[in-house]
Amino acid sequence: MPYFSVIIPAYNREKLICRTIESVLGQKFEDWELIVVDDGSTDDTGKAVKSFADERIRYIYQKNAERGAARNNGVKNAFGKYVFFLDSDDLLYPDHLQIAFNNLSKLGEPEFFHIRYEEISGVHKKTPPPLDRSCIHSLVYRQNRFACQFFLRKDVAEKFPFSENRELKIGEDWGVILKIAVRFPLHFTNQVAAAIVQHDERSMKTAPPEVILRSRDILIEDLSKDEAFADKNFILNNVFTELTSLAALSAALYKQKKTALKLILTALRSDFKITFSRRFLAVIKHLLYG
């Protein structure tokens, strides 16, 4: 059995997924399998995946059911001790899995592990600031600091699946991380060994405010049903504030100034500390000069 199962959900990624698969094939640590779950693509994503002649790569096709269902399908079919979630347009650097194996071994194979990433936008690269171990839980309770690039021990991944609600377009990965965070330590390294590739088709860039708000409500409802959040209303409030302010920024970018103003004021009433955030300043800038 492989040590790692890398799971890639894909929808119409014919032009992007080959580079992502090549980044997995280039790993120094070789005890892995790659599961590509094609979420009902209408282009030649399947043909692109099948062009790789490596027995460690498995291709699974499903009717379109969104990313959460695709990731869960990957977990269901995984043989690895750990699963790792990788988006179909992102990249792993050659030492990524080796770093993970070394750390997981030293830590006694914990439930969760994350390796930092940089963001690539055209020729520009940006590395998020290092995470602080002393306050990692409080940081994650306010915002998804891991994106959807994290390792879960397979038994944990099976117990805490992604939501399969088709209307949950934003934050499904944060929902899983929050359920993990209230129960387990959050282990990570600030070494950078992966990249999130920014482009115009990423959902976080294209989602209109109403989609973000609907996702907010679904995510809060889902977390509210989890008994581990019964005495943690502050986390639910953080989710409300974070996604409301994100919807405000989306509205501002869509030139919906009245909606953007209403939403940013709602977020501000929920948590006045957002006035110190870059997002708040970006919304105000768009309202004044956009």
Side-chain angles (χ1 to χ4, degrees):
M1 299 295 179
Y3 194 81
F4 294 116
S5 294
V6 179
I7 297 170
I8 300 178
Y11 176 74
N12 287 352
R13 284 291 190 255
E14 171 194 357
K15 297 179 181 179
L16 296 170
I17 198 168
C18 288
R19 188 182 177 198
T20 301
I21 292 175
E22 287 167 357
S23 78
V24 180
L25 287 169
Q27 292 300 296
K28 296 176 182 177
F29 185 88
E30 297 183 342
D31 189 13
W32 53 264
E33 65 173 352
L34 173 60
I35 303 172
V36 179
V37 183
D38 187 338
D39 188 34
S41 294
T42 57
D43 65 358
D44 284 331
T45 293
K47 184 177 180 180
V49 176
K50 293 175 183 177
S51 69
F52 292 92
D54 191 305
E55 61 183 11
R56 294 172 297 179
I57 300 175
R58 284 191 283 149
Y59 172 79
I60 298 172
Y61 182 88
Q62 67 176 37
K63 291 183 179 180
N64 181 259
E66 294 297 337
R67 291 170 298 186
R71 291 183 181 124
N72 292 340
N73 197 359
V75 171
K76 179 181 177 181
N77 285 277
F79 294 118
K81 188 175 187 66
Y82 280 89
V83 297
F84 175 76
F85 303 102
L86 180 65
D87 283 349
S88 55
D89 43 10
D90 294 337
L91 305 172
L92 299 184
Y93 296 155
D95 56 350
H96 190 274
L97 295 183
Q98 187 64 63
I99 291 172
F101 177 76
N102 293 345
N103 280 273
L104 290 168
S105 298
K106 291 177 182 178
L107 292 166
E109 299 188 330
E111 297 83 5
F112 176 95
F113 186 70
H114 167 73
I115 297 174
R116 297 304 282 154
Y117 55 84
E118 61 186 2
E119 296 180 7
I120 297 177
S121 180
V123 298
H124 302 288
K125 293 184 178 181
K126 177 183 177 182
T127 302
L131 297 173
D132 186 343
R133 285 181 174 78
S134 66
C135 60
I136 186 60
H137 278 79
S138 61
L139 289 173
V140 169
Y141 290 159
R142 286 189 168 277
Q143 192 177 59
N144 182 3
R145 299 302 181 112
F146 302 126
C148 196
Q149 286 203 7
F150 52 88
F151 295 84
L152 288 180
R153 211 171 57 211
K154 193 193 174 190
D155 62 302
V156 177
E158 291 174 329
K159 189 173 181 180
F160 301 101
F162 289 85
S163 170
E164 297 190 8
N165 189 322
R166 292 182 63 92
E167 294 184 87
L168 182 58
K169 307 288 189 181
I170 304 293
E172 78 285 347
D173 46 1
W174 192 21
V176 171
I177 291 169
L178 286 172
K179 291 180 180 181
I180 299 300
V182 298
R183 292 174 168 90
F184 305 112
L186 296 175
H187 296 286
F188 64 90
T189 176
N190 278 311
Q191 287 179 266
V192 174
I196 289 179
V197 181
Q198 300 291 354
H199 55 85
D200 291 339
E201 295 181 17
R202 289 195 80 99
S203 59
M204 289 293 287
K205 280 195 170 187
T206 59
E210 58 270 19
V211 169
I212 299 173
L213 293 174
R214 179 58 180 151
S215 295
R216 176 199 67 188
D217 295 342
I218 293 170
L219 182 55
I220 290 174
E221 181 181 5
D222 181 53
L223 294 173
S224 298
K225 294 176 181 177
D226 187 331
E227 60 183 14
F229 291 85
D231 60 346
K232 294 180 174 59
N233 285 332
F234 71 96
I235 298 179
L236 303 181
N237 187 70
N238 289 343
V239 172
F240 179 88
T241 303
E242 169 68 11
L243 294 183
T244 301
S245 66
L246 181 63
L249 179 58
S250 173
L253 293 172
Y254 274 89
K255 308 298 183 182
Q256 301 172 10
K257 289 191 174 183
K258 289 184 179 179
T259 299
L261 179 60
K262 179 181 178 180
L263 289 172
I264 201 62
L265 290 176
T266 299
L268 184 61
R269 286 192 292 269
S270 177
D271 186 351
F272 74 93
K273 290 190 290 295
I274 69 166
T275 55
F276 304 107
S277 69
R278 291 183 178 180
R279 183 180 296 160
F280 179 83
L281 295 176
V283 172
I284 298 302
K285 179 180 177 181
H286 281 285
L287 289 176
L288 293 175
Y289 307 111

